[in-house]
Amino acid sequence: MQLKKENILIVDDDIHILELLHRHLQSWNYHTYKAVSVKEAVAILRDTSIDLLITDLKMPEVDGFELVKFVSEHYPKLPKLIVTGYPSVQDSLEAIKSGVVAYLTKPFTKSELKDAMDDALKKSKTVQDSNTQKKEHKDFYGDMIGASEKINEIFQIIDRVKNNKATVSVRGESGTGKELVARAIHYEGKFSKEPYIAVNCGAIPENLLESELFGYVKGAFTGADKNRDGFFQAANGGTIFLDEIGNASLNVQAKLLRALQEKEVVKVGAQKAEKVDVRIIAATNNNLKEMIQEGSFREDLFYRLTVVEIEVPPLRERKEDISMLAEKFLFKYGVEYKDRFVKMSPKALDVLMRYDWPGNIRELENIIQRAVIMCDRVVEVEHLPDSLKYNVNFSEEGLISLKEMEKRHIQHVLNATNNNKTQAAKILQIDRKTLREKLKE
């Protein structure tokens, strides 16, 4: 069966690589255009309908990364495959933001080239189909990545608040990326050139939090040998992100309320207030409404902080984003530890999809980081922790007997070990004889 004659543009200043790619593509019945510079590539793009761009990154004069950005701006639906011998973390992460991109590290085999091309074309079709169904649906925002409906709703809220200084409350479990939301609001908006200060209220001792936030004057307490500004003064004109706001004492909460209402703060030991123009983004994984009932959080402050609320969903509720997040971390740690791009096998990805991720995105990143260190070029199931490989997902069909659950777990372990009964018995911590008897029941 012949492949469709799609138009492929190859850009590389190395003539030998250019000819090698050309021969491979011709053998697959693709129609190719060749360019040895970004300038030639742009000329071809303006006059020709191209279905896939394959480009090197390191080229003289104008590099390939500039070409990627140009294509993303002027031909956003055109898929891009980067072929490079000098991968870097920054380039890979920036390229992710520039659209649908696949990667190939030199040297590569013919089959690796074909897989990378298929990957780029497949991803492009998926995103285009998604965009046809959902208007204005984007899959990244700042350092946030995801195509699920829930994450897209967050992107839309960020669009609404990024250019004003309305107070924003971000709620979500630990590890869901609450600070990434705050950073996106600040750095993607018109105040991005102003200061951004992140403060973990839970990491600062209660007796020091007030002076750290609002500053102090000389002689305010033992050790205060000079006047000092706090985080609010440092963030003046920009954004202050208060993480774990539920840990703030009632005294600090009263001062935060004044900062919101009057746009002014008072240093510890001072009498005079100072004006500040700061957008506050507060985050917590606590239930502030329960804390209000207990008397440990001020109700008036709660309503001041929640002008706009953003609920960041746990990873188990946005599993369709796992493959994109995994790819981002594979790029990051593949380049950092291996000096090349690392991929993940479909079976390993399937294991990630079955897991419930109690630690959310932070846990996923840690597991990918470990897997990249343990693998060579491809992350396989064997490179994942046992807690994932042998995780039991309880059925949603209703309550079942302990015997049935045991039977299902044994079968799950056998499947994971390719029916190796010795290895399965070791994992189950029983002997082979007991395993045989349980299989007969």
Side-chain angles (χ1 to χ4, degrees), residues 295-309:
S296 58
F297 201 86
R298 293 179 63 117
E299 187 173 18
D300 48 2
L301 177 60
F302 172 79
Y303 289 113
R304 284 284 184 175
L305 289 173
T306 54
V307 175
V308 178
E309 292 184 89

Side-chain angles (χ1 to χ4, degrees), residues 347-348 350-352 354-355 367 370 380-393 409 412-417 423 427:
K347 286 185 178 179
D350 184 55
V351 171
L352 299 188
R354 293 200 306 265
Y355 188 56
I367 284 172
R370 174 190 180 277
E380 301 286 358
V381 174
E382 66 195 64
H383 303 126
L384 299 176
D386 289 350
S387 58
L388 266 72
K389 289 185 286 188
Y390 309 127
N391 178 57
V392 180
N393 284 328
H409 181 52
H412 175 73
V413 174
L414 284 169
N415 291 340
T417 58
Q423 187 179 355
I427 293 167

